[in-house]
Amino acid sequence: MACEITDGDRVSRIEVGRGCATAGALLLPGVTRAGIVAQPSVENRAVEIAGAIKDRGVESEVLVVPDGDSAKNLETVEIAYEWLNALGFTRGDMVIGVGGGAVTDFSGFVAATYLRGVDVTYLPTTLLGAVDASIGGKTGVNVGGKNLAGVFRHPARVVVDLDILEGLPVGLLQEGAAETVKAGFISSAPIIAEYEANGLEASLDVVVPAAIKVKVDTVQADFTERGLRAILNYGHTIGHAVEIVAGISHGEAVSIGMIAAGEISAALLGFKHASRQKAILENIGLPVSIEGIDKAEVLELMGRDKKRDSGGMRMVLLEDFTVPVVRHVGADEIALGLDAIGVVD
Ligand SMILES: NC(=O)c1ccc[n+]([C@@H]2O[C@H](COP(=O)([O-])OP(=O)(O)OC[C@H]3O[C@@H](n4cnc5c(N)ncnc54)[C@H](O)[C@@H]3O)[C@@H](O)[C@H]2O)c1
Ligand SMILES: [Zn+2]
């Protein structure tokens, strides 16, 4: 599968396939240097790609950044700028980000800002990176808060190689599955059918292109997040607060957040698929509740969340299967959702 996404100015080509993580797919025409930014876990792959790029007569070096979010800070950005400077980078050269969402966010930010913008392509190597972080043009690093410094800018290309994702450890497949199941409930019945039939063994050939399509179509309609893009936050309003208070992973928190949002949807809008959603998430091995966290702390974090507006708390709910709506919810409904996930007084 291949598709394009544009902000009206830059066009981003997204390719999904098997064995497609090649120098040819990642390299843009006409560049003389390719600076590869990679995580330690995929350093070997990055070095291999650099070798293949050099075989094509293009200079290429690899910068290994610290793992995960510990790369997403301004100190590491500065290290990357100095590295590009030492390589003699010009505006006609390019960056390639190889790794999970932390690396695509980071390399996208570096590329967007170095020399006021050089091209970048992404090779996402986690499921979450492939279906979420590398799609949609949000780049960023953490400064005090998460992703507080960043720009909206599409990468020139995203190359999703399912052979890489196939070999991921269970924990990383579950982490990504929280987002693919989310994409399914807001917009794609085939994703849900596949997880219902096969649990965590769901075919990546089915769920990855479908989840990418949900994100592409949604972002395409609303690049800078004024309206429709909000539906991608399904499960994230309560989920994000729970993630911070409980100190659990993003995927685990989104799973729990979807359970709460499903219950609120059932109460407010007559949503009939809350128990189906719960069964799917449980079957994947994602948590559906959380014990022992402070309700007041969760509420306080939700109140601070950017999805709040002057009319109260806005949340993405489901009117029906694959029919998301953004609704104002009151304290009683939120309490109902929190109750369903075990967050009680
Ligand atoms: N830009 C966006 O729209 C967007 C959306 C969602 C998330 N994000 C960001 O993405 C990040 C989370 O993404 P993530 O879950 O991919 O995290 P990550 O990049 O931290 O990767 C998770 C772990 O997987 C390891 N890893 C990567 N590829 C691997 C492979 N092939 N085999 C084995 N291990 C591998 C990494 O080294 C790391 O330890 C966060 O920083 C988040 O803010 C951005
Ligand atoms: Zn998310």
Side-chain angles (χ1 to χ4, degrees):
M1 165 211 166
C3 63
E4 282 185 352
I5 184 167
T6 177
D7 54 10
D9 179 19
R10 297 174 63 81
V11 178
S12 184
R13 189 164 65 83
I14 300 155
E15 181 186 345
V16 185
R18 286 189 177 270
C20 57
T22 61
L26 290 163
L27 206 56
L28 299 171
V31 301
T32 53
R33 281 178 207 83
I36 302 180
V37 177
Q39 282 172 323
S41 53
V42 290
E43 180 177 359
N44 290 348
R45 188 175 292 280
V47 169
E48 238 174 70
I49 292 166
I53 289 175
K54 283 184 203 151
D55 290 345
R56 294 174 156 249
V58 174
E59 261 182 62
S60 190
E61 298 290 335
V62 175
L63 175 71
V64 178
V65 293
D67 199 40
D69 266 48
S70 50
K72 286 178 58 173
N73 55 60
L74 292 174
E75 294 77 57
T76 316
V77 167
E78 200 170 354
I79 290 169
Y81 289 156
E82 280 165 11
W83 174 69
L84 294 174
N85 195 15
L87 292 180
F89 242 59
T90 68
R91 252 204 213 137
D93 299 325
M94 70 177 296
V95 170
I96 300 177
V98 179
V103 157
T104 52
D105 275 16
F106 172 85
S107 60
F109 180 79
V110 168
T113 48
Y114 191 68
L115 297 177
R116 299 187 182 82
V118 297
D119 269 323
V120 62
T121 62
Y122 296 156
L123 176 62
T125 63
T126 64
L127 181 55
L128 187 137
V131 300
D132 196 355
S134 67
I135 313 290
K138 277 196 201 173
T139 73
V141 294
N142 308 326
V143 282
K146 198 158 163 59
N147 298 326
L148 287 186
V151 296
F152 282 104
R153 184 171 182 266
H154 283 307
R157 286 184 194 166
V158 182
V159 178
V160 177
D161 188 337
L162 300 178
D163 284 345
I164 298 177
L165 305 183
E166 206 82 73
L168 287 174
V170 167
L172 285 176
L173 284 175
Q174 289 169 323
E175 196 62 20
E179 300 289 356
T180 46
V181 169
K182 175 202 78 180
F185 270 95
I186 60 174
S187 202
S188 173
I191 295 180
I192 297 308
E194 183 57 30
Y195 277 111
E196 249 169 350
N198 298 309
L200 198 59
E201 268 89 62
S203 161
L204 295 179
D205 296 272
V206 174
V207 301
V208 172
I212 289 176
K213 186 173 184 315
V214 171
K215 184 138 190 200
V216 165
D217 289 349
T218 310
V219 172
Q220 191 65 83
D222 176 26
F223 184 50
T224 51
E225 215 168 27
R226 291 201 174 83
L228 182 68
R229 193 162 171 161
I231 66 168
L232 297 169
N233 288 328
Y234 177 62
H236 282 61
T237 306
I238 290 175
H240 192 232
V242 166
E243 179 177 350
I244 296 169
V245 177
I248 55 176
S249 78
H250 183 70
E252 291 170 330
V254 169
S255 174
I256 294 167
M258 285 193 284
I259 298 294
E263 283 304 319
I264 298 171
S265 301
L268 264 183
L269 306 167
F271 176 58
K272 292 185 183 63
H273 300 265
S275 53
R276 183 181 180 197
Q277 176 182 256
K278 188 172 181 182
I280 290 169
L281 293 168
E282 273 179 326
N283 196 26
I284 287 169
L286 283 162
V288 293
S289 64
I290 180 109
E291 305 294 323
I293 62 169
D294 187 18
K295 183 174 173 184
E297 235 182 295
V298 171
L299 287 172
E300 138 76 36
L301 271 167
M302 285 176 66
R304 265 196 245 151
D305 207 61
K306 57 186 176 222
K307 273 143 307 224
R308 185 182 56 161
D309 69 15
S310 52
M313 175 82 67
R314 289 168 77 236
M315 264 183 82
V316 183
L317 301 176
L318 295 172
E319 213 162 51
D320 199 351
F321 180 48
T322 70
V323 186
V325 288
V326 179
R327 282 277 186 282
H328 291 270
V329 287
D332 288 353
E333 283 95 30
I334 290 170
L336 199 83
L338 292 178
D339 208 46
I341 57 171
V343 178
V344 288
D345 286 320

